[in-house]
Amino acid sequence: MGLKVKHMRNTRTKDLIFEAFVELVNEKDFEKITIQNVTVQARINRATFYSHFQDKYEFLEKSTMDSAIELIHGQTGGICVFTEEKIRKLVHVVFKYHQQVKTNCHRSYKSITPLLRKQMIQALQSYFNSCLHHMCVDDFTFYSQMYSTMIYDAVNLRLTEQTSLSEAEIADKMVHLIGSSRPFIVDSQTPLIGQEH
């Protein structure tokens, strides 16, 4: 019972810190936000902040990674399979990830895009690693890194207006590229390859 209460308290404190950051980052650039700004906004003391995060950069890294993982899990249901539908959903995840960050951190969005790229590719790679490892694919780490980078960078071309392709057209191209690189992708009508992990 005590552990559950402590976990709930920790979760609530982290929520307060996150909410404070979102409010502050809409008023000023991330670089100009101080820990004191955050603690005053969240109505917590500095020791409480530092019991959860080393500094604001660790907070940003953790929150962007948590967001990426949460979005992937939400779109895939946590089930690692290789289908056209799942590839399309992962393309959608990258678009949604950027939309969320742009909405919540519009003043600092451009300055944190390198971090967003790193975190989302890492989260995608973790998903692909689970899928391909379970399927006993040789060199699964190579393929998971390649697919993750391909999907992220394809979406980024649209976000940076280097292509006029729509989200659906980008998803079509990713399905084709990933499908042609290895014969283990299946269409949505075929029984799923892979299992829940």
Side-chain angles (χ1 to χ4, degrees), residues 35-66:
I35 300 304
Q36 183 175 352
N37 295 151
V38 176
T39 56
V40 168
Q41 187 78 28
R43 295 191 174 118
I44 59 172
N45 61 46
R46 289 175 73 88
T48 301
F49 177 89
Y50 287 119
S51 70
H52 293 284
F53 305 103
Q54 184 177 349
D55 53 31
K56 68 180 184 179
Y57 300 102
E58 184 185 22
F59 164 80
L60 184 62
E61 284 193 11
K62 180 91 170 82
S63 60
T64 52
M65 178 56 82
D66 287 351

Side-chain angles (χ1 to χ4, degrees), residues 17 19 23 26 52-53 69 83 92 98 105 116 120 150 158-160 178 196:
I17 293 169
E19 290 163 13
E23 288 177 31
N26 280 313
H52 293 284
F53 305 103
I69 291 169
T83 63
H92 177 69
H98 277 273
C105 306
L116 300 180
M120 179 51 81
M150 280 171 43
R158 177 73 177 114
L159 296 172
T160 56
I178 292 172
E196 191 168 356

Side-chain angles (χ1 to χ4, degrees), residues 60-76 86-102 109 112-129 143-156 159 167:
L60 184 62
E61 284 193 11
K62 180 91 170 82
S63 60
T64 52
M65 178 56 82
D66 287 351
S67 177
I69 291 169
E70 189 178 305
L71 283 169
I72 290 171
H73 185 81
Q75 287 295 310
T76 63
K86 287 289 190 260
I87 300 302
R88 292 178 194 284
K89 285 186 174 186
L90 292 174
V91 169
H92 177 69
V93 161
V94 180
F95 274 103
K96 191 169 182 179
Y97 181 64
H98 277 273
Q99 288 167 354
Q100 282 185 352
V101 176
K102 203 169 191 177
Y109 173 71
I112 64 170
T113 51
L115 176 64
L116 300 180
R117 181 180 193 276
K118 175 188 163 197
Q119 303 296 68
M120 179 51 81
I121 287 176
Q122 191 176 332
L124 286 169
Q125 188 175 0
S126 178
Y127 175 79
F128 282 125
N129 275 342
Y143 287 105
S144 64
Q145 179 66 43
M146 182 176 69
Y147 297 156
S148 302
T149 304
M150 280 171 43
I151 289 174
Y152 185 91
D153 287 345
V155 171
N156 194 54
L159 296 172
E167 180 179 326

